[in-house]
Amino acid sequence: MTETSTSSRTASALSLFAALLAGAAAALAALGPRILDVGDVGWMLHGPLGPDPVAYWLTWTFFRRSPWSWPPGLNPDYGLELASGIFYVDIVPLLALPLKALGGLVTVDQYWGPWLVACGMLQGGVAWRLIGLATQDPLARAAGAALFAFQPMMINRMGGHFALVAHWVLLAGLYLCLRDPAGRRQGVAWTLLLGTTALINAYLLAMVAALWGADLLTRGLRDGRIARRLGEVVAVLSVVGAALWLSGFFSLSGPLKPLGPGYGETGLDLLAPFDPVEWGRLLPTLPTLRHWEHGGSYLGAGSFLLLAAALAALATGRLPWRAALARHALLLAALVAMLAFAVTHRPAIGGVMIADLPLPAVVQRLADLLRASERFFWPLAYAALFGAIAAVAARWGGRRAGLLLAAALSLQLVDISAGLARYRALVADAPRVPVERLADPFWAEAAQRYTRIRAVPAGNFGANWEEIARFAARHGLATDAVYHSRVDQDALRALRMAVAAELDAARWEPGTLYVLRDEATHAIVAARYDPSRDLLSEVDGLLVFAPGWHIR
């Protein structure tokens, strides 16, 4: 081995290390080192990060102590008849399943902090590999990977949607689409990637599947062997199906209704990538749509510098960009299709809807399953950033591209520093020991006398779900007071009817404590309970019915 090749390998290794370090730094800059303490759940339960982290912790708390079921991803004590699959609470089954299996060896109260840091590192590492398709310059690869890691698109998800931080699976999909396929290894790589993504998040799975479809057709058309890809299709569908089954995806069989607005309500405003909202400090805020997904598509000032440089490179007319686009036409078509899905049938620009096209009812129902459509902008955004790096490197060489990317990274860090500080403060200010909201002595005694607590009428994300579920989790009671991303509407209706009929007939479910959520249920119970035996009272702001309370 020559001295030059040894030096090149060393530089490459250092470049990769820098990329991984930058990815970890992105997560720690956003939330701080406290998240690495697997025994600290205060930052998740404090509140400022929203209800999702609370639901993650609750799901994991119930899941890790419950007996194994079949399939393994069922979690019946958190949801009872309403819902039980861990897939529908986004707790990353990829980690939850093995950590539950290791429960006798390790104690992990929360794994999402380490998960976020690992996702940052993988974002940097996979971006480094992707950029290697365009240039081998160590600085360009390290700085470019860091720019991918310090993307508001990814970091924004650290504010609550932890599974969605795994943007590295999108970069891996783009890498597989853009590299020269290596025979059967391409099919194996896609199978592993899609199977892994199925154990992380449904939105990411849909995006990676679209990339796989584009690559599958491209390879089939190039070698004229589309029919011979059947084996790969069977392998992918089998592995993805098995992964979904493991995580409880098939536990819901009826119509699935998402929480919140449906498809078309959270679409991508065409100015959203340029709107810094709370993330950027260098550019003016734009009047884009302000739905609950807003802010998740901003690219950052450093990215704009890179894209502008790429346009300048293309303007010279010396790059064969048309040939490159033609070579990856199906990939481009998939990216554009996802962009169209992100924009929805109700396109808007500057906060103003410019059309409202009707959708067939069946299409609307299917699209509602992926209602947070703005997210489908991410693959195109990452592809554009890679294309910009490739154009700059091809026009001016890897070393100059590296200097430009270093400048772009510096600008990016200055631009998003305020957003990072805001997120970091949310975690730093959270108490390590969360304040319990149900403090009356009644609850401690009730936990000794009942095995489950029901909220009536049942409902996903219903009134006081968090207080009830946290009480149940703390004391080992089963509950139907839950927050899931999807529930079976038929099961919900059946549960409400069954519980209402039991209460109407004064048939109290053995071992069950009830929290009454509405006046109608209160009236039914008040007319039928026995004050000498049962307790009907308000405790800590909740209307509680405790059958047999006065019987010792």
Side-chain angles (χ1 to χ4, degrees), residues 505-521:
R507 291 192 296 266
W508 323 129
E509 185 178 10
T512 299
L513 177 69
Y514 298 89
V515 174
L516 310 182
R517 282 173 162 166
D518 62 13
E519 289 299 325
T521 306

Side-chain angles (χ1 to χ4, degrees), residues 13-209:
L14 290 174
S15 175
L16 174 58
F17 178 75
L20 296 172
L21 191 62
L28 295 176
L31 299 181
R34 175 180 173 181
I35 62 173
L36 292 174
D37 182 354
V38 298
D40 182 359
V41 300
W43 63 276
M44 297 179 62
L45 302 183
H46 180 50
L49 293 180
D52 294 88
V54 179
Y56 304 154
W57 175 80
L58 286 168
T59 303
W60 168 241
T61 300
F62 280 100
F63 182 62
R64 66 173 174 168
R65 71 184 179 208
S66 65
W68 285 104
S69 56
W70 201 249
L74 295 186
N75 192 23
D77 283 351
Y78 183 61
L80 297 173
E81 303 89 349
L82 186 60
S84 67
I86 62 173
F87 181 90
Y88 294 102
V89 197
D90 270 353
I91 68 166
V92 191
L94 182 68
L95 296 181
L97 291 167
L99 284 175
K100 178 177 179 176
L102 294 172
L105 301 176
V106 296
T107 300
V108 177
D109 294 326
Q110 67 88 9
Y111 51 83
W112 294 276
W115 160 257
L116 297 178
V117 174
C119 281
M121 295 180 68
L122 286 166
Q123 178 85 347
V126 179
W128 182 88
R129 190 66 178 266
L130 176 64
I131 295 168
L133 297 176
T135 176
Q136 293 296 311
D137 181 79
L139 177 60
R141 296 181 77 176
L147 184 62
F148 273 78
F150 281 94
Q151 276 297 321
M153 291 186 297
M154 181 188 75
I155 299 174
N156 189 60
R157 298 294 125 182
M158 295 183 185
H161 298 148
F162 298 153
L164 281 169
V165 177
H167 284 207
W168 54 270
V169 300
L170 303 178
L171 301 186
L174 288 173
Y175 173 76
L176 293 178
C177 286
L178 294 170
R179 74 169 183 173
D180 290 330
R184 294 181 179 178
R185 288 185 297 174
Q186 187 79 345
V188 172
W190 275 115
T191 302
L192 291 174
L193 177 60
L194 284 158
T196 299
T197 308
L199 290 170
I200 297 176
N201 179 265
Y203 281 90
L204 296 175
L205 177 61
M207 297 178 211
V208 175

Side-chain angles (χ1 to χ4, degrees), residues 363-431:
V363 174
Q364 181 71 50
R365 285 197 298 271
L366 290 173
D368 280 346
L369 298 177
L370 296 169
R371 71 194 190 285
S373 59
E374 181 172 335
R375 300 168 183 175
F376 284 81
F377 167 69
W378 300 338
L380 178 61
Y382 285 124
L385 291 175
F386 168 75
I389 293 174
V392 170
R395 178 64 185 87
W396 292 301
R399 180 168 298 181
R400 291 181 179 177
L403 294 173
L404 173 67
L405 285 166
L409 173 62
S410 300
L411 185 62
Q412 186 87 349
L413 293 176
V414 171
D415 188 35
I416 69 172
S417 59
L420 291 172
R422 182 178 59 86
Y423 266 30
R424 196 162 54 249
L426 294 178
V427 172
D429 294 342

Side-chain angles (χ1 to χ4, degrees), residues 173 176-177 186-187 190-191 193-194 206-219 229 232-237 240 331 334:
L176 293 178
C177 286
Q186 187 79 345
W190 275 115
T191 302
L193 177 60
L194 284 158
M207 297 178 211
V208 175
L211 298 176
W212 168 62
D215 182 62
L216 183 74
L217 289 175
T218 298
R219 285 181 282 130
R229 308 292 175 191
E232 180 180 333
V233 173
V234 171
V236 165
L237 294 181
V240 168
L331 170 60

